[in-house]
Amino acid sequence: MRLPSTLRIKSARDFQRVRGDGVGHPGRFLVLQVLRDTELTGFRFGIISPKKLGIAVLRNKIRRRLREIIRAHQHRFVEGVWLVVIARWRAPQAEYGGLERDWLKLAERAGILKPAPPPAPAAPQ
């Protein structure tokens, strides 16, 4: 299942708005910029992977991983947030699990995730 393109931030003006007016949360592999917008229902996101990370194949791999992380956790986002995820120079060395842990830690710190649902009770045996 893909994320619809309507959720993506595409214009440079929108990226600048989030980076300028939003709050940054640096992590080991990522920087998460968050801007709250009460008029927005749902969320919008953008990904920045600078050339400092390496060749295009590597930058695209990191973007694909980040899109999948966002897609997997989209049901937990609070309403009305704009997100810009910036990959740091350490991101190419990270495994998928490391990127996901770093992203979840930053999202929790930013307060953009709803509480996780309680685990289902175990079935009797």
Side-chain angles (χ1 to χ4, degrees), residues 36-55:
R36 296 188 183 273
D37 184 359
T38 56
E39 298 174 5
L40 179 69
T41 58
F43 72 99
R44 297 206 47 213
F45 77 97
I47 298 173
I48 297 175
S49 55
K51 286 191 176 187
K52 175 188 308 190
L53 297 179
I55 61 174

Side-chain angles (χ1 to χ4, degrees), residues 49 55-65 67:
S49 55
I55 61 174
V57 172
L58 191 56
R59 294 192 308 269
N60 289 335
K61 180 179 178 181
I62 292 167
R63 278 196 295 266
R64 283 193 305 272
R65 286 180 174 180
R67 272 195 306 271

